[in-house]
Structures are given as C-alpha cells and as structure tokens.
C-alpha cells in the first residue's frame, strides 16, 4: 500500500493544532468540503430480487405452467376459473414470502446500523470530546490508544511508536508506525498510543474503496442449515406421497371407468388436474417456512435483545447461547458496577480517607497528581450534560479524584511532553510513562502493588504495603501501586490507592437463576485471590476457598490435571488472557457449551475460542469485534437474559415444527387415502395453497415471535446436538395427526355431519373448513413442546399469536362466504359452521391427553 497520505490542511489554508484541534466552525467547513465519516449503503436485494427468488422454486414454476395449461384447456368452453384461482394462490404465496423476506432484511439493516455506531475521542476546541465515528471529519485530531480499531484513514502525528495490525488492508499482521506514517481505517492498534489527524473519511478511505467493491452475501446459521436439511428430507417424503397420490387418482378413475385413457380433451384435463394436485401436495409438504421461521425468530430476538442492552453481532450466537452450560465471567464492571471510586490512599505511612486526600503533603500530592495525569490514556468527557470517564475505569477513578480536587489533568498532560511509554497489559501488570519536566525527566509507574514494589526494590516497605493490600482484599477492595522518580533520582514507591467497586445488586439473584437453569458460573479475574473470592462469595458463585485457583497454579498443571481441577473451580484469580482461552478449550473438551466474557484487547482470542463470546460495551474495540454479542451495559444480568432469549429461539422453532409436521402428516394422509378410496381430491390445489400459507407464513409469525417466559430458566440447557424433534414432540404429533385424520374421514366418508354426496360441494367445503379449524386449534397446542408446559400460559398477552389466529379465522370466513368457484366452496349454514368449529375445538382436550401420554413415555426428556 502506497504511503501517500500527509497531514491535511484545512479549507481555509490553516494548519491543524494537535493541542486545540478543530473549532466548531472548522468542523462544519471540513464536513462541507470532504463529507462525514459514513459509508454508502451496500446494495440490498430489491422487491424484484425476492420475487425472482420465490419463482426459483421449481414447484411454484410447475404450478404456474399448470395454471396456464388449465386455462388453455378451459378456453374451449369459457371456464377459466380453475386456472385463475391457481394463479392467484401462487401470487399470494409469493407476495407473502417476499414481504417476510423484505421485513427480515429491514430488521437486519436496522441492527447493522446500531452496531456500526461507536465512539472515538477527539480534540476539539482544546477539550477532549467523545463523538460518534460517523461525525469525524478530515482534520480532526483523534486519540489513538492500545486496542483501538481506527474509524478513518489518519496520519500518526505524535506519541510513542505504534504496533498496528493492518491485515485487512495491507495483509501485514504487525506493522511498526512512527509519527508521520499513515494509518488505515479498520486497522487495530496493538501497542503504543498518541494523537493522529484524520486524512480521509467514509468512502474515500482505503477501506471504504475496498468495501464498495463487495456485495452483501447470504449466510446461514447452523440452525438454519440443520432445518434446511430437515426440510429436504420432509420434501422427499412428500414427493413420494405425491407420486403415489397421482398414480392412485389416475388408476382409480381408469378402474372405475370414469376416465378413458387416450388423447381426449377430458383425459388431458383430468391429467392436468391430478398433476396439479400432486405438485400442490409437494408444495404443501416441503416446509419452506422453516428457514423463514428461523429468520423471523432471529430478527425478532436480536431486535428485542438490543432493547435489553445486548447487541448481537453474530446471528448464530442467538441459537448457541440458549445451549450454554457455563458462563465464564469477568468481575470488574460485569459482576460489579465498574464505576471505580478511590476509597482511600496510603502515602508516606499514613492512610488518607477519600475526603482527606487533599490534606496530603503538597509535594507528595503534586507528584501523585502529575503521575495520574500523564501516565494515563483515559479522559473525562461531557456526555448528556454529565461528566463521564472515557477509557479504563481504574484510570478514570484516578482522574475523577483529581477533578474533585480541582486539578486540571488535561492541562498537566499537555504541559509535559511524553518521551516514552510502556502500555499496561495483563502480563506486565504495570504501565509507565517518561515525561519531560523542568530540570530533567520524570518516570511515573502504576500497576499491581507487588509488581510496582519489586520495581522500587524496597523489601522492608513491601512487607508493610502488602499487609495493607491483603487487608483491603479481604474486604473486596482493589489496590493499585503508584511510583515515581524525581529528575535524576531512583524510582520510589509513592502511594497505594485503594479502590471500591461495589457489587451490582441484582447479580446474586442472576447467579441463582443460572443455577436453576443448569448453567454454571465461573469468575475469571486479574485480581488477587482474596479479593476475587470475596466478590465471588458476595455474588453467590463460590462459598469455599478451595474453589479458587490462581492463574499461576493453573499454568503449572497438565491439561488432564487442569481439566480435573476445573470441575470444582468457581474462581480463577490473577488470570492471564491465555488462561481464559485454555479454560474455554478444556471445558469444551468436557462437553460444556462455553460463554465467555471479555473487554480487553488480549481477551479477543478467548472470545473467539468460546462458543459464545460476550464483550463489554465499555471494553476495547478489538474485544467487541472478536465477540458474538456486545453487552452494552456491561451487566451480568444482561448475559443471563441473553441465555433466556437463546432458549426461546430454539423453543419457538420447535413449536413451529410441531405444528407444521402435524399439518403435513394429516394433509398427506388424507390426500393419499382419499385417492386410493376413490374419493378424488377432498382438498383442491387452491385450498391446499391456502393451508400452505397458514402453515408456512402465518404460523411462522405466530409461533416464532413469542417472548420468552421465566419458565425457560427452569429447564436444563438443550446442549449442542439436541434433536429438532424430541420424543415428546413426536408423540404429540402422532396423537394429534391420528385424531385429525380420523375426524376428517368422519366428515368425508360418513353421514354424521352431512348426508350430501361424497363429491358434493357442501361435503368438500365441510372437509376444508374442518381441516382449517383443526389447524387453528392445534396451533394453541403447539405452544407447548416440553413436559409440564401449559400451552395457554400467557395466551392473553401473546399479541402477535392472537392477531394472526384472528386474521386466519376472518379470512377463512370470507373464503367460505364468497370464495365460490375460486376455492370450490359454498356458504355453510350456522349449524355446519358450528360443526366445523366444534370439531376443530376438540383439539384442545385431545392436546391435553396427548401431552399426558407424551409425558408418561418421554419422562423428563428435554
């Protein structure tokens, strides 16, 4: 990649000041001249694209041909109704499917819009501000820190040398950058920090130009792939039954002498009709609604989860998180509030409470304040009229301390030139910055107390300080060591900062809820063991010191030993990012489905290694990009709610499967046996297409858009390979199908409901109407797919389900009243309506009996 970027000049010809940044007027002028940092939307599928895709189904194409042939044959006597009816039915099926696909595309686009919004720190008017990346303009001075993913092409202007991952642009995983070098949008900062000037934005960036050349692709989630395979199997069975039905229809007519084999127009009219019936049976049987059901369920779930502060980045995570068996969680900001406050400071042998820190000796306080200001990458920014921390929460607590003392940290930071910096990471456990001061240079260090004390080499002081650290840890406090060297002097331990990070009040209840749901919780933290255990005890995760292991102990164990130890481990203290990846792998080897949380750059491998990676909204961009779900509010309770939503996805798909397979079995059984018995086609193609619309589109909406109930916490995780159709469901499907089949034959083959002829329009209308109402009432039964579930639970608040059922009833009434020759029906009397609805209503008690039988044979199977 050519290095052809240079620090831009503003439209008015002025140069950019790295300390003050742009004024509001300059931002407006730059935006007018160069645009904002937004990308043009990628090409989306149009209405016509979805319509064409629908007609790509060979069965629908055959029906269109059949409609055309039917109209051509009927033209000799002016009978076009059958052909027109089939055509209208096909059009309705295509339009409904297209509408659903457009809706799903719109939902995903909205989610992508939400997920694309990130914030970046810029210098404007001499102040640090947080702005949406879309608001960046050419000439903006941006803060560049470890872990950042660059939102625009920039020129590195000042700071320590950077290590940058440019794999997406240049193919280089690690590139060294110095002031004056270009940095490209989408690159990750692996080390170093400083300030950079935006050189190009949006589609003008290198990444933007590459992006404009790609097209949106369709990706299937694992559950969608399983369902497509399942649908293929069902489709083959349906095709076989359709062929047998065609043979039976033709054969029975030939045997009875109702049809003469030959070239007469009547023979070919009958053949077109029978082929149309057979093809329609295939259309009805093939559960093309399954992928749609998953699409709708995932879109609904991701939209609702976003409202509950969980932003789904990978759709497959919606499925996987429902099968999670263990959550490996961070402590800070997830179990705790993450709003660090300085509780007290030890300095010079004296412990100062928070309110007393201002009484510290002036020289010590001045040196401590300078170290906090310069040895930090965090900032205090205005957001919604309030001051908030942008960056690391621990550094933010220190800056807030200075702010409360009236100290302008930003002025101090800008007044001291940064000469060198070593960024903090979980291996070093410290951060240091060398700055220029009058009379020489000054080194400031902060980090884990034991590491900072080791740097100073004062063993006697170390014993005293570590005693204070241990006491604080027993109370659940965090501690931070601070050291400094005056010009040309040795590094001296300056202060021990004791930080409070209270437990989130709802965490204990959420941990208990995980236990009920069969989901284990393990806390992995960088804190020392006493602090980690105390927080875990308060959260209800651990109740015994033996359940704690340190990262050092863990790393000394073989995989076999470590795997065995993990069975009883609830807390890992002093953990490194590599430990988290190893934990995920070992737990997966034990058959666990692992959810892992993380917020740091080095957490990315662990997030990728786990089955579901949860990053924190306040964490690094690298962690967010490596994760499957972003927990916007950093709250453990949000993760627990996400597990419930994941279970709801699988549960709702099962509801749809139970409903659709019952309809399939009955439709195929009645069509085949009626043909063999010489009853012709009790359900004609147009009626079957209406049933198909109920099954595939309406049922997909009604049964998959169900809010999860808390009862989902009371069941075990369904695991990695739970069957799509459980034993409990198969028994329900079998009992319901047998009852419907028998009942339809009562209407079709006996005079108990009507004494009209077997092919009379009144009898076939009753068969059609009864069949539809059997499915309507069976949809209520389909809401329970596990033992002990009440299908009517929450029915009065299930708005989408009730609305869809009402629409089906109204449309069915209209079809019977005015459908006439199009649907080959006739208006029914009040008594006949009562018979149809009453027979359909029998599905409610039959469902109750079916579930009792299924529970007896399936037991506690989930």
């Amino acid at each position: 990649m050519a290095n052809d970027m240079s620090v831009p000049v503003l439209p008015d010809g002025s140069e950019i000041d790295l300390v003050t940044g742009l004024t509001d007027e300059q931002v407006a002028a730059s935006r007018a001249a160069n645009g904002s940092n937004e990308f043009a939307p990628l090409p989306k599928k149009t209405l016509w694209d979805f319509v064409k895709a629908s007609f790509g189904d060979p069965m629908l194409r055959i029906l269109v041909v059949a409609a055309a042939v039917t109209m051509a044959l009927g033209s000799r006597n002016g009978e076009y109704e059958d052909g027109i009816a089939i055509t209208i039915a096909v059009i309705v099926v295509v339009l409904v499917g297209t509408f659903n696909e457009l809706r799903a595309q719109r939902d995903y686009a909205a989610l992508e819009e939400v997920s694309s919004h990130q914030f970046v720190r810029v210098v404007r008017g001499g102040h640090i501000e947080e702005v949406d990346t879309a608001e960046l303009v050419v000439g903006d001075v941006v803060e560049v820190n470890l872990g950042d993913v660059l939102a625009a092409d920039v020129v590195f202007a000042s700071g320590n040398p950077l290590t940058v991952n440019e794999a997406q642009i240049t193919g280089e995983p690690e590139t060294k950058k110095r002031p004056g070098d270009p940095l490209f949008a989408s690159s990750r900062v692996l080390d170093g920090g400083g300030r950079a000037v935006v050189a190009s934005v949006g589609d003008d960036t290198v990444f933007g130009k590459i992006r404009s050349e790609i097209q949106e692709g369709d990706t299937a989630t694992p559950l969608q792939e399983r369902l497509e395979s399942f649908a293929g199997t069902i489709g083959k069975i349906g095709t076989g039954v359709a062929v047998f039905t065609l043979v039976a229809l033709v054969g029975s007519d030939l045997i009875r002498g109702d049809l003469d084999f030959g070239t007469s127009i009547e023979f070919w009219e009958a053949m077109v009709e029978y082929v149309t019936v057979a093809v329609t049976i295939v259309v009805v049987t093939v559960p093309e609604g399954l992928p749609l059901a998953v699409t709708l369920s995932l879109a609904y779930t991701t939209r609702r989860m976003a409202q509950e502060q969980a932003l789904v980045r990978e759709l497959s995570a919606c499925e996987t998180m429902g099968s999670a068996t263990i959550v490996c969680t961070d402590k800070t900001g997830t179990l705790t509030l993450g709003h660090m406050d300085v509780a007290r400071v030890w300095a010079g042998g004296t412990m100062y409470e928070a309110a007393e820190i201002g009484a510290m000796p002036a020289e010590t306080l001045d040196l401590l304040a300078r170290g906090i200001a310069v040895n930090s990458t965090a900032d205090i920014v205005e957001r919604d009229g309030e001051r908030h921390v942008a960056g690391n929460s621990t550094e933010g607590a220190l800056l807030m301390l200075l702010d409360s003392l009236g100290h302008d940290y930003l002025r101090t930071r800008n007044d001291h030139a940064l000469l060198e910096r070593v960024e903090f990471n979980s291996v070093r456990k410290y951060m240091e910055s060398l700055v220029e001061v009058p009379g020489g240079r000054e080194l400031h260090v902060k980090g884990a107390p034991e590491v900072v004390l080791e740097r100073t080499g004062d063993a006697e002081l170390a014993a005293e300080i570590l005693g204070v650290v241990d006491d604080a840890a027993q109370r659940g406090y965090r501690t931070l060591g601070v050291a400094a060297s005056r010009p040309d002097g040795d590094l001296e331990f300056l202060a021990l900062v004791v930080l409070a990070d209270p437990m989130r009040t709802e965490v204990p209840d959420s941990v208990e809820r995980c236990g009920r749901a069969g989901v284990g919780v393990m806390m992995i933290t960088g804190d020392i063991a006493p602090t980690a255990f105390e927080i875990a005890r308060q959260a209800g995760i651990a109740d015994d010191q033996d359940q704690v292991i340190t990262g050092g102990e863990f790393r000394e164990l073989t995989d076999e030993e470590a795997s065995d130890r993990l069975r009883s481990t609830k807390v890992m203290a002093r953990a490194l990012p590599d430990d988290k990846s190893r934990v995920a792998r070992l737990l997966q080897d034990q058959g666990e489905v692992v959810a892992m949380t993380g917020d740091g750059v080095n957490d990315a491998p662990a997030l990728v290694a786990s089955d579901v990676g949860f990053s924190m909204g306040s964490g690094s961009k690298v962690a967010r990009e490596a994760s499957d779900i972003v927990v916007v509010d950093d709250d453990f309770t949000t993760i627990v709610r996400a597990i419930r939503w994941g279970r709801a996805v699988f549960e709702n798909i099962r509801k749809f499967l139970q409903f659709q397979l019952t309809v399939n079995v009955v439709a195929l059984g009645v069509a085949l046996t009626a043909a063999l018995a010489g009853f012709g086609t009790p359900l004609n193609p147009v009626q079957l297409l209406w049933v198909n619309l109920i099954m595939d589109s309406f049922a997909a909406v009604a049964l998959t858009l169900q809010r999860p109930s808390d009862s989902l916490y009371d069941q075990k995780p369904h695991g990695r390979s739970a069957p799509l159709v459980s034993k409990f469901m198969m028994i329900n499907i079998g009992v319901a199908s047998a009852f419907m089949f028998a009942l339809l034959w009562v209407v079709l083959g006996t005079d108990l409901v009507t004494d009209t002829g077997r092919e009379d329009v009144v009898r076939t209308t009753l068969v059609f109407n009864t069949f539809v109402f059997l499915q309507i009432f069976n949809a209520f039964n389909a809401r329970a797919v596990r033992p002990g579930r009440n299908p009517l639970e929450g029915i009065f608040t299930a708005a989408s389900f009730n609305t869809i059922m009402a629409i089906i009833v109204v449309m069915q009434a209209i079809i019977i009243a005015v459908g006439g020759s199009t649907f080959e029906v006739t208006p029914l009397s009040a008594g006949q309506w009562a018979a149809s609805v009453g027979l359909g209503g029998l599905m409610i008690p039959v469902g109750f009996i079916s579930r009792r039988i299924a529970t007896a044979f399936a037991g506690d199977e989930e």
Side-chain angles (χ1 to χ4, degrees):
M1 186 67 59
N3 182 351
D4 56 359
M5 283 196 292
S6 58
V7 176
V9 176
L10 294 174
D12 61 6
S14 60
E15 295 184 356
I16 297 165
D17 190 319
L18 297 180
V19 175
T20 61
L22 303 183
T23 64
D24 291 343
E25 293 76 13
Q26 289 172 325
V27 168
S30 180
R31 182 174 288 119
N34 305 292
S36 295
N37 192 38
E38 295 180 295
F39 298 113
L42 290 174
K44 298 286 185 183
K45 289 184 178 179
T46 64
L47 173 67
W48 178 239
D49 291 329
F50 286 121
V51 170
K52 286 192 296 184
S54 297
F55 279 108
D57 183 344
M59 293 301 118
L60 280 182
R61 289 204 294 260
I62 292 174
L63 283 179
V64 171
V65 172
V69 173
T70 300
M71 283 192 287
L73 292 173
S75 63
R76 63 190 180 90
N77 50 18
E79 296 178 354
Y80 298 101
E81 292 87 352
D82 289 346
I84 293 174
I86 295 173
T87 302
I88 292 174
V90 169
I91 290 173
V92 170
V93 170
V94 169
L95 289 180
V96 171
T98 298
F99 170 78
N100 286 329
E101 293 287 356
L102 283 171
R103 177 181 176 179
Q105 178 176 266
R106 180 202 65 194
D107 289 340
Y108 292 144
L111 288 170
E112 177 64 23
E113 175 69 16
V114 172
S115 65
S116 66
H117 286 291
Q118 303 290 346
F119 289 92
V120 62
R121 277 178 277 170
V122 302
V123 183
R124 287 182 178 174
H127 301 287
I128 300 292
E129 298 181 13
E130 264 192 332
V131 301
D132 192 302
T133 54
E135 296 179 15
L136 286 176
V137 298
V138 172
D140 256 328
V141 178
V142 297
E143 296 272 337
V144 178
N145 294 306
L146 172 69
D148 285 349
V149 176
L150 300 176
D153 286 353
V154 302
V155 176
F156 186 33
S158 70
N160 287 323
L162 305 178
T163 302
V164 180
N165 183 333
E166 293 182 343
Q168 295 188 52
I169 302 297
T170 66
E172 295 295 332
E174 290 192 10
T175 304
K176 298 295 182 182
K177 297 287 186 177
R178 298 185 179 279
D181 289 342
L183 305 173
F184 303 107
S186 80
S187 299
R188 299 177 180 178
V189 180
L190 304 178
D191 202 1
R195 288 184 176 178
V197 178
V198 175
S200 54
V201 293
D203 291 331
D204 291 332
T205 63
V206 175
F207 174 77
K209 293 172 182 175
I210 295 173
R211 179 181 177 276
S212 65
E213 297 174 2
I214 64 174
Q215 298 290 324
E216 236 183 18
D218 294 323
T219 56
T221 69
L223 182 57
Q224 284 173 320
E225 292 173 351
R226 286 177 67 188
L227 286 170
E228 286 173 4
S229 175
F230 184 79
T233 301
I234 299 298
K236 291 176 183 177
I237 295 173
T239 301
V241 172
V243 171
F244 279 118
T245 302
L246 174 62
V247 173
L249 286 170
V250 176
S252 62
D253 276 3
L254 291 175
I255 292 172
R256 291 196 311 271
D258 294 341
L259 188 67
D260 292 327
F261 183 80
T263 58
S264 67
I265 193 68
E266 290 80 9
F267 172 79
W268 289 110
E269 284 178 339
M271 286 299 298
V272 169
E273 179 184 351
Y274 294 158
V275 168
T276 302
V277 170
V279 171
T280 305
I281 288 173
V282 175
V283 172
V284 172
T285 305
V286 175
E288 66 269 17
L290 287 180
L292 172 62
V294 181
T295 298
L296 289 175
S297 186
L298 291 178
Y300 173 75
T301 298
T302 50
R303 188 169 61 250
R304 290 293 186 180
M305 285 179 61
Q307 294 172 359
E308 295 188 5
Q309 304 299 303
L311 186 63
V312 177
R313 299 186 67 256
E314 296 291 338
L315 286 180
S316 59
C318 285
E319 308 155 13
T320 310
M321 65 191 176
S323 61
T325 58
I326 186 168
V327 178
C328 299
T329 177
D330 288 334
K331 177 186 76 71
T332 304
T334 307
L335 300 178
T336 62
L337 289 173
H339 301 308
M340 294 282 189
D341 291 312
V342 176
R344 56 183 67 94
V345 175
W346 180 98
T350 302
M351 182 66 77
Y352 298 90
E353 295 298 324
E356 304 170 341
I357 293 173
M360 193 181 294
E363 185 180 0
T364 302
L365 182 57
D366 183 60
L367 186 59
L368 177 63
R370 188 156 61 249
I372 290 173
V374 301
N375 192 28
S376 172
T377 58
D379 282 294
I380 298 176
V381 298
E382 292 283 341
R383 193 186 306 153
D384 299 327
E386 296 182 1
R387 294 172 71 74
H388 292 271
V389 172
N392 182 272
S393 59
T394 301
E395 292 186 343
L398 299 177
L399 293 181
M400 283 294 191
L401 172 64
L402 296 189
D403 195 58
S404 68
L405 295 173
H407 190 103
D408 187 346
Y409 82 90
L410 191 56
R411 179 176 179 179
T412 300
R413 188 181 293 176
N414 289 333
D415 286 346
H416 293 80
L418 178 65
L419 303 176
E420 293 180 18
R421 172 171 289 165
V422 175
E423 299 283 356
F424 177 91
N425 64 35
S426 54
V427 177
R428 284 192 288 263
K429 291 188 171 61
Y430 72 88
M431 174 182 182
E432 68 175 41
S433 297
L434 182 66
V435 296
E436 188 175 329
V437 296
R441 301 184 300 175
E442 200 170 69
L443 179 65
H444 293 274
V445 181
K446 72 172 187 291
E450 67 272 20
V451 175
V452 176
L453 285 164
E454 185 179 354
R455 292 283 305 275
T456 64
D458 190 335
E460 183 176 345
L461 180 62
E464 178 183 354
I465 296 298
L466 293 178
V468 177
V469 169
D470 187 59
D471 179 68
Q474 298 291 346
R475 302 169 186 268
Y477 290 109
R478 293 188 66 183
T479 51
L480 186 72
V482 181
S485 70
R486 293 174 174 81
D488 302 323
D490 295 329
L491 188 66
E492 299 177 7
F493 192 87
L494 183 62
L496 179 75
V497 181
V498 180
L499 297 145
D501 185 14
M503 172 74 62
R504 291 180 183 268
T505 56
E506 66 277 11
V507 163
D509 287 341
S510 296
V511 172
E512 187 272 334
R513 185 167 280 173
C514 280
R516 278 184 14 231
V519 180
V521 180
M522 179 180 178
M523 187 178 84
I524 304 178
T525 178
D527 285 338
I528 61 177
T531 303
F533 173 72
E534 176 58 22
I535 296 297
R537 186 193 65 77
Q538 294 176 23
I541 295 173
D543 55 16
D544 193 310
Q545 294 273 9
D546 291 339
Q547 295 171 327
V548 181
I549 187 174
T550 66
E553 294 169 341
F554 181 68
R555 290 187 289 275
E556 291 177 358
L557 301 177
T558 65
D559 277 0
E560 184 177 353
E561 293 170 337
S563 182
D564 185 62
R565 180 67 184 274
L566 284 176
R567 299 181 193 279
S568 60
T569 296
K570 298 293 186 182
V571 179
M572 180 176 290
R574 281 301 189 218
L576 299 178
D578 288 346
D579 296 331
K580 298 175 74 170
S581 298
R582 189 185 180 204
V583 166
R585 176 173 58 82
L586 293 177
L587 289 174
Q588 287 167 336
D589 290 344
Q590 294 176 9
E592 304 281 4
V593 180
V594 181
M596 180 74 69
T597 73
D599 57 7
V601 176
N602 292 333
D603 285 332
L607 294 174
V608 172
S610 63
D611 294 288
V612 183
F614 287 90
S615 65
M616 302 299 108
S618 63
S620 69
K621 290 183 180 179
V622 174
R624 290 198 294 270
E625 290 203 340
S627 66
D628 302 297
I629 299 172
V630 179
V631 181
V632 179
D633 59 2
D634 294 9
D635 192 345
F636 179 78
T637 302
T638 301
I639 298 172
V640 179
R641 287 198 298 263
I643 292 174
R644 184 184 63 166
W645 275 107
R647 292 184 174 189
V649 170
F650 193 73
E651 197 90 344
N652 290 341
I653 297 303
R654 276 186 159 183
K655 292 173 185 177
F656 178 70
L657 274 172
Q658 182 168 282
F659 172 80
Q660 186 168 68
L661 291 179
T662 303
V663 180
N664 281 348
V665 170
V666 177
L668 289 177
V670 170
L672 179 59
T673 55
L676 291 173
F679 278 74
T681 55
L683 296 175
N684 65 44
V686 179
Q687 293 171 353
L688 283 172
L689 286 172
W690 166 235
V691 171
N692 183 64
L693 198 62
I694 294 174
M695 282 197 312
D696 283 343
S697 297
F698 290 149
V701 175
L703 292 171
T704 59
L705 304 188
Q706 298 285 299
R707 289 187 67 86
S709 68
D710 285 346
S711 62
L712 291 171
Y713 288 127
D714 298 324
Q715 65 193 42
K716 297 176 182 177
H718 56 253
R720 296 177 186 276
S721 56
L724 293 172
V725 182
S726 66
K727 186 177 179 181
F728 180 85
M729 294 168 62
M730 285 192 286
I731 294 173
N732 279 333
I733 291 167
V735 172
S737 299
F739 177 78
M740 289 186 198
F741 180 81
L743 200 59
L744 287 172
W745 264 108
V746 168
V747 179
L748 179 63
T750 74
D751 294 335
L752 293 176
V753 179
T754 179
D755 59 0
T756 56
R758 71 181 188 181
E759 294 185 6
D760 185 84
V761 68
V762 173
R763 184 180 294 271
T764 55
T765 300
L766 277 168
V767 171
F768 171 52
N769 206 38
T770 302
F771 182 69
V772 170
F773 276 95
L774 283 169
Q775 306 316 320
I776 290 172
F777 284 102
N778 189 50
F780 288 85
N781 289 331
R783 297 178 79 243
V785 291
R786 291 179 184 270
R789 294 288 190 267
N790 178 4
L792 301 182
E793 179 185 355
I795 192 64
F796 295 110
T797 57
S800 61
F801 180 86
N802 292 328
T803 300
I804 293 298
M805 291 301 108
I807 290 173
I808 294 174
V809 170
V810 170
M811 293 184 69
Q812 179 68 13
I814 293 172
I815 287 171
I816 298 300
V818 301
S821 59
T822 300
F823 281 85
E824 296 182 17
V825 295
T826 188
L828 299 175
S829 66
Q832 291 166 334
W833 264 104
S836 298
V837 176
L839 291 173
L842 291 175
M843 285 307 303
I844 298 300
V846 167
F848 174 79
I849 296 170
S850 172
R851 288 188 296 277
R852 295 295 295 269
I853 296 172
T855 300
F857 283 94
D860 294 330
E861 182 205 39
E862 294 290 343

